[in-house]
Amino acid sequence: MEKMRIAIAGISEMRWRGNGTTTTSSGNLVMHSGTKDGGRSGVGIYVSKQYKQALISWSPVSDRIIIARFRCKARHITIVQCYAPTEDASDDIKDDFYNALTSSLTRIERGYIKILMGDFNAKIGPKNNGLETIMGRHGVGTRSNNGDRLIDLCQTFQLVIGGIAFPHKEIHKYTWTSPNGHTRNQIDHICISRKWRRSLMDVRNRRSDHELIIGELLIKLRRNSNTVNRTTRRPPPINIQRLSESNLSTRMATTLREEMTTQPLNHSWEQTCSILRSTAEEMLGTRQRRRTDWTSAHTWELISKRNSLKSKADHDCRARDEHKELCKMVKKSARNDKRKLLDKLAENAESAANTNNMRSLYQIISQLTGSCHRRTQPVRDTEGRLLTGDEAQLQRWRQHFMEISCTEQPSSTQDNFRSIVPSHNLRVSPTAPSIREIKDAIRKLKRNKAAGDDGIPAELLQINTQLMAETLHPHFNNIWERKNRANNTR
């Protein structure tokens, strides 16, 4: 499995005792379902170590059926691996198997992508008259009784038999060869929900004594997230570009002063943020993130034509050829549209560079290059040697903070971060900042910077620096008073 880079595999005639999971030495996962004494039956599902995190749950139904559920970005996937009775088995045994299989498929939640695969011991054949929606014309052999049962099951649950839908040489269609090498049959199949037929890219065998049938599925799996989802989202950015409009900033400052005077003297910082945010949203509005629609009308017309032929392409050869040609034309037209967009952005970047508009230039460069993650810089000691251990890096950070705080290092090393913070800092004034100092600090704030978690940008505070300084002064006093009380209690 690792050599052929198989992500998920179904195994028939596994012959393992009982039910359970096994992790291989290389980290791959094997789930199995069998009888107590083993026997010739038994089924299992192999999952590579790269996709173990996508597994939601699994359940053994019997020694012939096992079910596994996987998390996927599009829809969750339910894989049913089975091992059907042979053609020589009695009708009662076949009925029991297909009744259990029908019950298992019925319990799958609506909206899941169903993948039914395994050794069905069923010959389908190439004839698909009246069955074009569930099978193609590329089968091998003559349809058997098990084949009729499988077709009825696929019709009931809207499944498509994948191995018969793709044209291949016959040597790539056979899934079982007799020991004498004279008899070959196509009895192993992979079926998928008809709605997701286009996600199944190919199905063919890999030649061995009992042919391995492989299907290529173009669906991205997603890992199970153990983190708790955030209940609150960052508010949308305020449209601060409107502050350049005449008289708008003056009217907004007047409104803010009226709102602030109605609040009590000891109101909290959350109330102040709420007033600033609500007033700004009411008068300036928010800035909605919009995606650039670079696809031309000609491309959209080709896409609509291609989509109209999608349903006919499964059972009409002419429609299939026309659909393939339209797919090529859509890709070519989309590439041309994308190239025109890049050329336009390059011209805008050149124009911004010539006019010394660095902000627009860097925005265009960021749009062209995409998001870039900042790399973590290594920690080095005072002599430039690289520190690899956690304790050595922590000691170096402790030494750095002591140097910038102009205090002596403590003699004992403690894991608590509070031990590296000095009890008295000469750079911090013991008294709270005045209104004038707060006003000067607001004026020095840089513009065009992202707002914090409160969603208050610097431009909003700079509308009226005197008003904002008077508003923030009580909050700074409360901070200094709480800090002094905490120092006195130590």
Side-chain angles (χ1 to χ4, degrees):
M1 301 299 180
E2 292 179 353
K3 183 179 179 181
M4 303 187 72
R5 298 180 181 180
I6 294 177
I8 301 172
I11 307 171
S12 300
E13 293 187 77
M14 197 164 182
R15 304 183 184 181
W16 285 14
R17 295 181 179 179
N19 309 322
T21 60
T22 303
T23 303
T24 63
S25 58
S26 55
N28 303 316
L29 181 65
V30 179
M31 301 164 284
H32 63 93
S33 175
T35 59
K36 295 181 179 180
D37 56 351
R40 292 185 56 111
S41 59
V43 288
I45 295 179
Y46 160 91
V47 183
S48 64
K49 58 184 178 181
Q50 291 87 355
Y51 295 95
K52 285 196 303 184
Q53 297 297 329
L55 178 65
I56 300 176
S57 63
W58 73 281
S59 57
V61 179
S62 65
D63 59 333
R64 291 184 177 273
I65 302 173
I66 187 173
I67 300 176
R69 299 168 183 84
F70 294 88
R71 191 178 302 276
C72 177
K73 288 187 175 181
R75 293 284 192 278
H76 292 345
I77 299 177
T78 299
I79 295 179
V80 181
Q81 169 66 21
C82 57
Y83 172 47
T86 60
E87 194 68 43
D88 298 333
S90 62
D91 291 339
D92 294 337
I93 297 177
K94 295 180 182 180
D95 292 339
D96 293 341
F97 168 76
Y98 276 97
N99 289 336
L101 185 57
T102 302
S103 177
S104 300
L105 293 174
T106 304
R107 289 195 300 267
I108 298 176
E109 296 183 16
R110 184 177 181 182
Y112 274 48
I113 303 174
K114 301 182 186 70
I115 297 180
L116 176 64
M117 59 185 184
D119 183 2
F120 291 91
N121 289 301
K123 293 185 289 185
I124 305 299
K127 297 181 180 180
N128 66 340
N129 297 331
L131 303 172
E132 293 85 358
T133 57
I134 66 169
M135 60 177 289
R137 298 180 179 178
H138 306 287
V140 176
T142 305
R143 188 177 304 168
S144 61
N145 178 261
N146 282 346
D148 292 331
R149 291 174 180 268
L150 179 59
I151 289 175
D152 293 340
L153 183 74
C154 292
Q155 283 184 313
T156 303
F157 293 97
Q158 301 294 311
L159 301 175
V160 176
I161 304 175
I164 306 176
F166 298 94
H168 287 292
K169 295 180 179 179
E170 288 196 0
I171 197 172
H172 294 152
K173 297 178 184 179
Y174 296 120
T175 61
W176 178 81
T177 304
S178 62
N180 58 14
H182 297 304
T183 305
R184 293 179 176 179
N185 289 322
Q186 187 182 22
I187 59 175
D188 299 66
H189 303 282
I190 296 178
C191 309
I192 191 173
S193 301
R194 189 170 67 183
K195 184 179 179 181
W196 296 90
R197 157 68 182 84
R198 290 296 173 182
S199 298
L200 191 63
M201 307 306 294
D202 190 19
V203 176
R204 56 161 293 179
N205 67 10
R206 292 294 185 269
R207 299 173 63 187
S208 62
D209 54 350
H210 192 113
E211 312 293 350
L212 176 66
I213 180 171
I214 293 181
E216 297 180 6
L217 192 64
L218 189 61
I219 295 179
K220 293 184 178 180
L221 299 179
R222 185 176 62 180
R223 292 184 176 183
N224 285 326
S225 178
N226 295 326
T227 58
V228 180
N229 295 330
R230 296 181 59 182
T231 56
T232 59
R233 295 183 178 180
R234 181 172 294 183
I238 298 173
N239 190 11
I240 56 177
Q241 283 77 13
R242 292 195 59 193
L243 290 175
S244 58
E245 299 180 9
S246 59
N247 300 328
L248 184 58
S249 59
T250 304
R251 290 191 289 109
M252 187 170 179
T254 304
T255 305
L256 285 175
R257 184 175 292 277
E258 294 175 356
E259 293 289 340
M260 292 299 180
T261 54
T262 59
Q263 297 297 321
L265 296 177
N266 58 349
H267 64 277
S268 62
W269 167 245
E270 288 76 11
Q271 292 175 337
T272 302
C273 287
S274 177
I275 294 173
L276 291 173
R277 181 77 191 180
S278 59
T279 305
E281 289 181 354
E282 181 180 354
M283 302 189 68
L284 301 178
T286 57
R287 196 160 34 89
Q288 301 296 332
R289 186 176 299 177
R290 297 180 180 178
R291 298 184 62 181
T292 304
D293 188 10
W294 49 268
T295 309
S296 63
H298 176 65
T299 305
W300 284 117
E301 184 179 354
L302 292 176
I303 292 174
S304 60
K305 289 182 180 179
R306 182 195 63 181
N307 294 340
S308 63
L309 289 175
K310 187 175 181 180
S311 59
K312 299 180 181 179
D314 292 335
H315 50 83
D316 191 348
C317 295
R318 293 183 179 179
R320 187 182 301 114
D321 296 337
E322 188 177 355
H323 183 267
K324 290 182 179 179
E325 188 65 26
L326 281 173
C327 289
K328 295 179 181 179
M329 295 173 63
V330 167
K331 292 179 180 179
K332 183 177 180 180
S333 181
R335 284 196 300 267
N336 294 334
D337 296 340
K338 187 72 172 182
R339 192 176 295 112
K340 291 179 182 179
L341 174 66
L342 297 178
D343 293 341
K344 183 179 178 180
L345 291 176
E347 293 177 359
N348 295 338
E350 184 178 3
S351 176
N354 294 334
T355 57
N356 202 21
N357 188 355
M358 293 294 104
R359 184 164 181 264
S360 298
L361 176 61
Y362 283 118
Q363 286 179 348
I364 296 174
I365 292 175
S366 177
Q367 184 179 357
L368 289 173
T369 57
S371 59
C372 180
H373 299 283
R374 184 177 299 176
R375 296 180 179 179
T376 303
Q377 296 296 329
V379 180
R380 301 179 183 271
D381 60 6
T382 54
E383 298 180 359
R385 294 190 297 267
L386 184 65
L387 301 177
T388 57
D390 295 339
E391 184 62 29
Q393 293 181 2
L394 183 62
Q395 180 64 26
R396 179 67 187 99
W397 279 112
R398 185 180 291 108
Q399 180 184 3
H400 169 71
F401 281 118
M402 290 303 171
E403 290 175 355
I404 64 175
S405 60
C406 301
T407 59
E408 297 181 358
Q409 281 187 272
S411 57
S412 60
T413 303
Q414 301 180 10
D415 292 335
N416 192 351
F417 182 76
R418 294 181 179 178
S419 63
I420 70 174
V421 180
S423 58
H424 60 282
N425 195 329
L426 300 179
R427 296 187 179 184
V428 179
S429 175
T431 60
S434 61
I435 295 179
R436 182 177 179 181
E437 291 174 336
I438 298 174
K439 185 177 179 179
D440 294 338
I442 294 175
R443 287 176 177 174
K444 293 179 182 179
L445 291 176
K446 291 184 178 180
R447 292 172 171 263
N448 298 322
K449 297 295 182 181
D453 291 335
D454 52 12
I456 307 298
E459 290 83 353
L460 189 58
L461 299 176
Q462 292 174 347
I463 293 176
N464 191 328
T465 55
Q466 182 65 30
L467 174 61
M468 292 297 106
E470 294 175 357
T471 303
L472 296 176
H473 185 255
H475 300 297
F476 283 108
N477 286 337
N478 293 334
I479 294 173
W480 252 256
E481 290 177 2
R482 289 197 300 268
K483 181 66 176 176
N484 292 332
R485 287 197 299 267
N487 290 335
N488 293 334
T489 57
R490 289 181 180 178

